[in-house]
Amino acid sequence: MHEILLVEDNPDDVELTMRAFRKSNIVNEIVVARDGVEALDYLFSMGTRAGRPPTLPQVVLLDLKMPRVDGLHVLERIRAHPRTKLLPVVILTSSIEEQDLLNTYSRGANSYIRKPVDFQEFVEAVRQLGLYWLLLNQPPPAPAPA
Amino acid sequence: MRSVIHAITAVGLLVVVSLGRLASQTAPAYATGAATVSLLLLATSHLLLVREISRREHTERALHDANRELESFSYSVSHDLRAPLRSIDGFSQALVEDVGEQLPPDARSHLDRIRHATRRMGTLIDDLMALSKVARAEMTRERVDLSEVAEQVVAELRRQQPARQIAVTIAPGLQATADAPLVRLALQNLIENAWKFTSRRDGSAIEIGQTRAGAGAPAFFVRDNGAGFDPDYAHKLFGPFQRLHAVSEFPGTGIGLATVQRIVHRHGGRVWAEGQINSGACFYFTLG
């Protein structure tokens, strides 16, 4: 069972998302990257993650507004690299600005979810998200080793 | 723009100088004086024009900057203000779930109030964002069939609340030249209001039509026989977050009519209301 990569800079949101996963009985390992740099380090086994075996998460949950490298740039880098270009990326953000929707979909985001304020709604969103991306959805074939 | 002014002034100078030369051959003293005055006048008007243009360019730039600042402010409001709300709601809920059993009833009720207030603030932020979007939206005027739009809005409301018994009359052929999405939003807000404020009476009725009030442009109206309002407070109806009824009586954030007013004003139109407590309300609007 592959891990979920959660790219999120707000520690409260990390905690609440983990809680929502637990409540939805999703037991995949959740790797947390606290900004775009950490996410790219993890995905491409570089920087602080140099030497990590080159496995890919089953899905990336990507926040947009983050310090250092933002979500849009992470998405661009994921889509630009042959090894990660098919990786499912779900945008998980507070914004529903049209510009954010346009920018992320046009750069190849697979889905866009707005985090609701109501925690019960959030748990439900995470449950459905897990059900869909971890169970229902057939992931793209694993990339050939580099 | 500035180079055009410079060019015109240069041509003007040439004309004055050549006329001066021509005149100086006949009456030298008089012509030199006239040419000097003309030159001075021309130079002054040139300076004034250039200064006026820089002032306008400066204003335009300031306006552009202010707009961009507003955009980024709205973005922060929608993104950054919601994050702490999610934390407050999420962790209050976590407390209820994890130790709710051990809490005295008062404490549980306090947590419920915290969550209720948080969700309400979330809704207020969303509504505020929607209102600012109305102000920022690009407008394209086209022919809009308001009767058809009204039919669609009512059909959607009937679908959402099939149990409501409401007699709705929509005058056929209501035509307007307006921005279709915006005028739709305005009509939707007015009809939803009528729908909401007739919910506490039997024999609810809504009428959507057009009236020719005086010599001006025809006014469209949405009339209902619901809760109405105190005409003394009519001027407050269209202010953002203004409510004339308790939330417990009729839910809402008080942004609907502010949205309607903003849309109508963007069309250069007018919106006003007539009503009495418990005898219904009628909202009129023109679209410029």
Side-chain angles (χ1 to χ4, degrees):
Chain A
M1 195 159 26
H2 287 293
E3 71 276 16
I4 298 165
L5 177 62
L6 173 64
V7 191
E8 171 65 69
D9 64 308
N10 181 338
D12 283 6
D13 272 357
V14 171
E15 173 77 32
L16 289 171
T17 310
M18 305 281 255
R19 189 179 166 92
F21 273 123
R22 277 200 304 279
K23 295 188 91 49
S24 315
N25 301 316
I26 291 167
V27 292
N28 297 53
E29 187 199 347
I30 297 164
V31 176
V32 178
R34 282 165 305 174
D35 61 31
V37 175
E38 286 191 18
L40 292 171
D41 280 359
Y42 183 84
L43 288 170
F44 297 109
S45 306
M46 55 188 199
T48 53
R49 297 289 193 151
R52 192 186 76 84
T55 56
L56 288 181
Q58 188 144 357
V59 61
V60 179
L61 305 182
L62 184 61
D63 190 16
L64 287 182
K65 211 176 161 191
M66 290 183 296
R68 301 204 283 177
V69 170
D70 66 14
L72 211 55
H73 185 73
V74 172
L75 179 60
E76 279 173 351
R77 292 283 301 274
I78 289 175
R79 289 294 175 254
H81 197 284
R83 208 167 65 79
T84 51
K85 69 176 181 194
L86 298 178
L87 187 62
V89 175
V90 175
I91 306 297
L92 195 59
T93 174
S94 317
S95 155
I96 39 164
E97 282 290 308
E98 244 173 62
Q99 210 51 48
D100 285 336
L101 283 157
L102 265 174
N103 283 338
T104 49
Y105 273 123
S106 60
R107 283 167 178 77
N110 298 85
S111 177
Y112 190 111
I113 293 167
R114 188 199 196 188
K115 296 178 218 167
V117 165
D118 187 320
F119 184 63
Q120 267 154 4
E121 284 175 29
F122 184 56
V123 171
E124 179 56 23
V126 167
R127 192 186 68 76
Q128 292 196 18
L129 192 155
L131 188 70
Y132 183 81
W133 289 104
L134 302 175
L135 290 174
L136 282 175
N137 184 57
Q138 290 293 332
Chain B
M1 184 65 194
R2 222 174 289 186
S3 53
V4 175
I5 300 277
H6 285 310
I8 291 172
T9 311
V11 171
L13 280 172
L14 273 177
V15 171
V16 169
V17 170
S18 9
L19 278 177
R21 264 198 201 142
L22 201 68
S24 65
Q25 290 158 6
T26 47
Y30 174 73
T32 317
T36 313
V37 170
S38 314
L39 274 173
L40 275 174
L41 282 175
L42 209 65
T44 314
S45 72
H46 179 80
L47 273 177
L48 284 175
L49 255 172
V50 167
R51 192 195 277 176
E52 170 64 15
I53 286 165
S54 345
R55 203 178 58 80
R56 283 198 191 178
E57 280 175 353
H58 181 76
T59 315
E60 258 170 44
R61 233 191 344 264
L63 196 65
H64 180 75
D65 288 351
N67 267 336
R68 287 221 358 223
E69 216 163 281
L70 190 68
E71 291 270 337
S72 94
F73 172 74
S74 310
Y75 185 90
S76 305
V77 168
S78 70
H79 193 281
D80 296 353
L81 284 192
R82 286 172 58 92
L85 281 183
R86 270 203 315 282
S87 298
I88 301 170
D89 189 73
F91 290 111
S92 318
Q93 171 71 14
L95 272 179
V96 172
E97 285 168 3
D98 296 350
V99 294
E101 303 276 300
Q102 293 132 268
L103 288 176
D106 264 7
R108 281 212 55 164
S109 142
H110 293 162
L111 281 173
D112 283 345
R113 280 168 192 245
I114 291 174
R115 298 198 59 215
H116 183 77
T118 324
R119 284 194 295 261
R120 185 155 172 82
M121 184 157 168
T123 316
L124 286 172
I125 293 175
D126 286 351
D127 285 357
L128 200 59
M129 292 314 302
L131 186 63
S132 93
K133 240 178 219 166
V134 166
R136 288 182 284 150
E138 295 269 332
M139 268 183 46
T140 325
R141 281 196 189 243
E142 55 184 305
R143 293 296 285 171
V144 184
D145 185 341
L146 291 184
S147 306
E148 197 188 317
V149 174
E151 297 279 3
Q152 289 165 0
V153 172
V154 171
E156 176 60 23
L157 284 167
R158 285 203 194 280
R159 200 185 57 75
Q160 285 170 12
Q161 298 178 25
R164 281 292 302 277
Q165 296 287 322
I166 302 190
V168 181
T169 321
I170 300 172
L174 301 175
Q175 297 284 333
T177 308
D179 180 84
L182 282 183
V183 82
R184 181 191 183 84
L185 183 62
L187 207 53
Q188 185 182 335
N189 270 300
L190 289 174
I191 296 172
E192 279 174 1
N193 264 0
W195 190 272
K196 177 165 70 180
F197 288 104
T198 50
S199 63
R200 291 181 161 238
R201 61 159 297 148
D202 297 327
S204 311
I206 299 176
E207 187 190 350
I208 297 137
Q210 191 174 22
T211 167
R212 289 207 174 266
F220 303 100
F221 67 83
V222 177
R223 178 181 291 131
D224 68 66
N225 62 350
F229 59 86
D230 184 341
D232 284 352
Y233 298 110
H235 61 285
K236 284 193 159 185
L237 278 171
F238 298 98
F241 302 120
Q242 285 287 351
R243 294 181 43 87
L244 298 185
H245 299 271
V247 178
S248 53
E249 216 182 347
F250 297 102
T253 53
I255 211 75
L257 288 178
T259 306
V260 172
Q261 186 181 51
R262 201 162 284 194
I263 292 171
V264 167
H265 284 177
R266 286 206 61 189
H267 283 86
R270 218 160 61 81
V271 59
W272 68 100
E274 288 168 0
Q276 288 290 335
I277 292 177
N278 293 326
S279 333
C282 187
F283 288 87
Y284 299 89
F285 64 98
T286 62
L287 291 168

